Amino acid sequence: MPRSLFAFGSNGNGQLGIGSDEDTSAPLPVQFNPRPSLDHHDQYPTVRTPFHDFAAGGNHTALITRLDQLLYMTGSNKDNESLLTEPTQVFTRLPLTHTNPLPPSVFLQEEAPPESESQSPTRWRSVACGWAFTIAITEPESESGPNQVDLDKTNNAPSMTARDIGAGRIVNRYNKIYAWGSGAFGELGLGPSLTKTGRRAAAIEGGALNLLGQDYEIIKVRAGLRHVLLLAKENSNGGARTVLMGWGSNRQGQLGILTRQRSSEKGEAPALTDKELRGKFMEPTFILMPKDPVSGDGPVPEIMDMACGQNHSLVLFSDGSVYSSGLNKYGQLGPHTPSVPTLKQDFRIGFERVQGLPFVDSISCGWNHNAAMDTRPLQGQGRTIIYLWGRNDHGQLGNGVPIASMDLDLSGSGSVPSTIVQVRLPITAHGTPAECEEIISYCCGSEHTLAMTRSGDCYAWGWNEHGNCGNGCDTSTTTTSTAPTEDLRDVPAPRKVQFPTLPLQDSALDNGQAWVVGGYGSSWVWI
């Protein structure tokens, strides 16, 4: 029996894609219109999910299929954030084309453009959703045939690892960035005069994009509530280097320290005032990182991934280090050693390294908590471990075991502990209590956390008001009962989610082909 995508949790606008607008704690199968090809196992036997990318916003959701790289959306269209003619409760394909970036569905009947054999569906590379907006990147358009950049080799998907991108040469730079929806804080990246796109996809072309060299490529995009991070790779005579840009609100420092000009040869750049830094950035702007090259001594680690919380951000480097910036009211920036003396305040403008975190090659952000993992054991022996830190008022950290901690002295808040914990999922079906399941996929939702094990079990913990931790059974006792827990109370420790009985293939699980992703009080599981 083919495996399926299931969803549960908040669904007031149909953002789960299950064909209704009712919340559900029982996982239900997701519906598509039209249904894409999800049978990717023969072509990509070691890839966890048939989705090239997946993003959840305030009340809308987007995904990119792996085989054809088509863009599907579902949920609210109040601010044109899903770019559909009307709100939808199933994942619906956006029929954008290279020659017509506007979906035919947005035209009036008499204005609909004629079909053309020369028009081919746009192949999408990356997508991000914020509160009421969507940002998406196309694959490069090749002048001599099919797209030459094979991002399936880079596994450009949720929880992408640091080894996935590699240091391959950039083939071309003809991919584009589009925005649609609404954003009064600059989230659209379209400049100060455009905060609503209406029923169209608008190309992002200004700001720092105009200051890049002629040979560059846009790699991926990630979004928080009202801010956006964009990763590019730029070729020069000195080789390729990654460049981070951002736009939107920086009120809490979630974009870090920005500059509107390129660094000089001496590594200096015009500094913005504190007032300017905490403002709105209406178009792509360069972000200064501590690892930016300031001299010619030694290679600079590449930026491999980014993750955005509600008002903070994480950046992952190729050496396994993680840097954070933004709101720190709940310790979500992690233990750190300030590079300069800081004021007693509950936010930080500027990325600094998270201390006490072992090597990791994947990261995820919730609204105010984070998770990270070293996926290398999946390629060999050993057990994977999730590391979590940040807010824990609903059990987002899963009753984990502390491995690093420090007290933060925040203005008006007193001393706030910032602790990194590790979470292991116990084997409940067999073995001793000391044995743990191997985790193959994980993700932070807004205020909950999800994890999938090699045996095909999905666990959830944290905030559960909308049933986003599933209709689970209690695995904390020795009872053999699998009766579902139907209440919507918080889940302070990992709890197994109950699914319809599916004859999973051992070979698929051996290859790690199961996957989870969390959203704003919502959850999706491919199993």
Side-chain angles (χ1 to χ4, degrees):
M1 177 179 176
R3 289 178 294 135
S4 300
L5 179 65
F6 289 88
F8 45 98
S10 179
N11 193 40
N13 290 273
Q15 60 264 44
L16 293 182
I18 58 176
S20 78
D21 59 0
E22 297 291 331
D23 291 3
T24 176
S25 60
L28 297 176
V30 165
Q31 301 176 29
F32 295 89
N33 178 31
R35 182 170 178 81
S37 174
L38 301 179
D39 187 13
H40 71 293
H41 306 137
D42 292 340
Q43 190 169 353
Y44 307 106
T46 62
V47 176
R48 292 188 301 273
T49 166
F51 308 112
H52 195 62
D53 208 352
F54 196 107
N59 293 289
H60 66 295
T61 312
L63 65 82
I64 299 173
T65 62
R66 180 166 297 279
L67 290 178
D68 300 318
Q69 291 181 241
L70 301 175
L71 179 60
Y72 283 71
M73 299 201 70
T74 185
S76 171
N77 198 43
K78 178 182 177 182
D79 294 290
N80 297 292
E81 60 265 50
S82 64
L83 208 59
L84 299 168
T85 55
E86 58 186 21
T88 178
Q89 299 171 359
V90 301
F91 279 96
T92 303
R93 177 185 160 192
L94 291 189
L96 303 178
T97 66
H98 285 304
T99 56
N100 174 34
L102 305 180
S105 59
V106 307
F107 290 87
L108 298 177
Q109 185 67 32
E110 62 271 21
E111 296 175 341
E115 294 286 340
S116 171
E117 293 183 359
S118 63
Q119 292 183 343
S120 59
T122 299
R123 295 175 64 235
W124 297 90
R125 166 172 293 193
S126 183
V127 64
C129 297
W131 181 251
F133 66 94
T134 302
I135 309 292
I137 304 171
T138 68
E139 283 286 10
E141 298 177 38
S142 173
E143 296 178 345
S144 59
N147 302 73
Q148 300 178 41
V149 179
D150 184 5
L151 276 196
D152 289 308
K153 293 182 179 178
T154 72
N155 192 23
N156 189 16
S159 299
M160 186 177 67
T161 67
R163 302 182 313 279
D164 288 331
I165 291 182
R169 182 180 180 275
I170 301 171
V171 179
N172 59 48
R173 58 180 179 84
Y174 297 104
N175 55 344
K176 299 177 182 178
I177 315 167
Y178 290 99
W180 55 90
S182 174
F185 293 84
E187 305 97 304
L188 300 179
L190 298 171
S193 62
L194 190 55
T195 58
K196 294 183 178 180
T197 63
R199 294 163 62 184
R200 68 188 182 100
I204 302 175
E205 299 174 327
L209 294 173
N210 291 326
L211 301 179
L212 291 173
Q214 294 185 351
D215 192 4
Y216 74 90
E217 182 180 12
I218 304 300
I219 302 298
K220 68 188 312 183
V221 63
R222 293 293 178 255
L225 195 71
R226 293 185 173 89
H227 72 287
V228 178
L229 295 181
L230 184 77
L231 180 63
K233 182 172 283 190
E234 185 179 31
N235 270 336
S236 65
N237 294 334
R241 65 179 292 244
T242 49
V243 180
L244 188 63
M245 290 167 274
W247 60 89
S249 174
N250 198 35
R251 177 66 179 171
Q252 306 294 338
Q254 53 265 54
L255 295 175
I257 299 175
L258 301 99
T259 176
R260 293 191 174 94
Q261 297 186 26
R262 297 303 301 267
S263 298
S264 68
E265 294 181 357
K266 296 182 179 180
E268 300 174 350
L272 299 176
T273 66
D274 289 343
K275 182 178 180 180
E276 290 174 322
L277 281 175
R278 297 194 64 191
K280 304 173 185 177
F281 289 81
M282 309 299 288
E283 58 186 3
T285 309
F286 292 115
I287 297 175
L288 299 177
M289 299 296 299
K291 291 178 179 285
D292 277 351
V294 295
S295 69
D297 300 332
V300 177
E302 287 190 307
I303 298 172
M304 308 307 292
D305 205 356
M306 317 88 69
C308 296
Q310 185 179 29
N311 291 298
H312 77 287
S313 302
L314 300 180
V315 174
L316 172 68
F317 281 87
S318 56
D319 60 2
S321 61
V322 176
Y323 283 66
S324 61
S325 182
L327 184 66
N328 198 28
K329 185 175 181 179
Y330 309 105
Q332 57 265 56
L333 300 189
H336 64 279
T337 302
S339 56
V340 295
T342 58
L343 299 175
K344 295 180 180 180
Q345 54 194 19
D346 60 5
F347 67 93
R348 184 179 72 233
I349 301 178
F351 284 91
E352 295 183 6
R353 182 168 185 169
V354 177
Q355 301 292 332
L357 188 65
F359 178 97
V360 296
D361 56 10
S362 65
I363 53 176
S364 179
C365 279
W367 275 1
N368 293 293
H369 77 292
N370 313 290
M373 192 169 77
D374 179 4
T375 68
R376 292 177 301 176
L378 294 176
Q379 311 301 321
Q381 300 297 319
R383 288 289 180 261
T384 50
I385 301 171
I386 301 177
Y387 301 98
L388 298 108
W389 66 98
R391 194 172 190 179
N392 194 37
D393 58 329
H394 296 289
Q396 298 96 308
L397 304 189
N399 199 26
V401 178
I403 64 168
S405 182
M406 70 176 295
D407 289 335
L408 304 175
D409 192 5
L410 305 179
S411 176
S413 303
S415 180
V416 175
S418 179
T419 302
I420 298 176
V421 303
Q422 62 180 27
V423 173
R424 297 175 183 263
L425 301 181
I427 295 177
T428 57
H430 56 81
T432 66
E435 291 184 294
C436 295
E437 291 270 20
E438 185 175 21
I439 301 168
I440 60 174
S441 180
Y442 75 99
C443 190
C444 294
S446 54
E447 296 182 279
H448 68 292
T449 311
L450 299 161
M452 174 68 71
T453 68
R454 175 77 71 182
S455 62
D457 291 330
C458 176
Y459 289 82
W461 59 93
W463 182 55
N464 192 36
E465 181 177 342
H466 298 281
N468 38 291
C469 286
N471 197 359
C473 64
D474 187 0
T475 60
S476 62
T477 66
T478 57
T479 179
T480 58
S481 171
T482 58
T485 302
E486 297 180 350
D487 66 74
L488 301 179
R489 292 176 295 180
D490 290 347
V491 181
R495 187 181 71 181
K496 189 184 298 185
V497 178
Q498 296 298 289
F499 288 85
T501 302
L502 293 174
L504 295 178
Q505 299 179 358
D506 291 340
S507 60
L509 290 173
D510 288 342
N511 288 328
Q513 291 178 347
W515 162 90
V516 295
V517 68
Y520 289 34
S522 50
S523 304
W524 291 264
V525 179
W526 171 256
I527 189 172

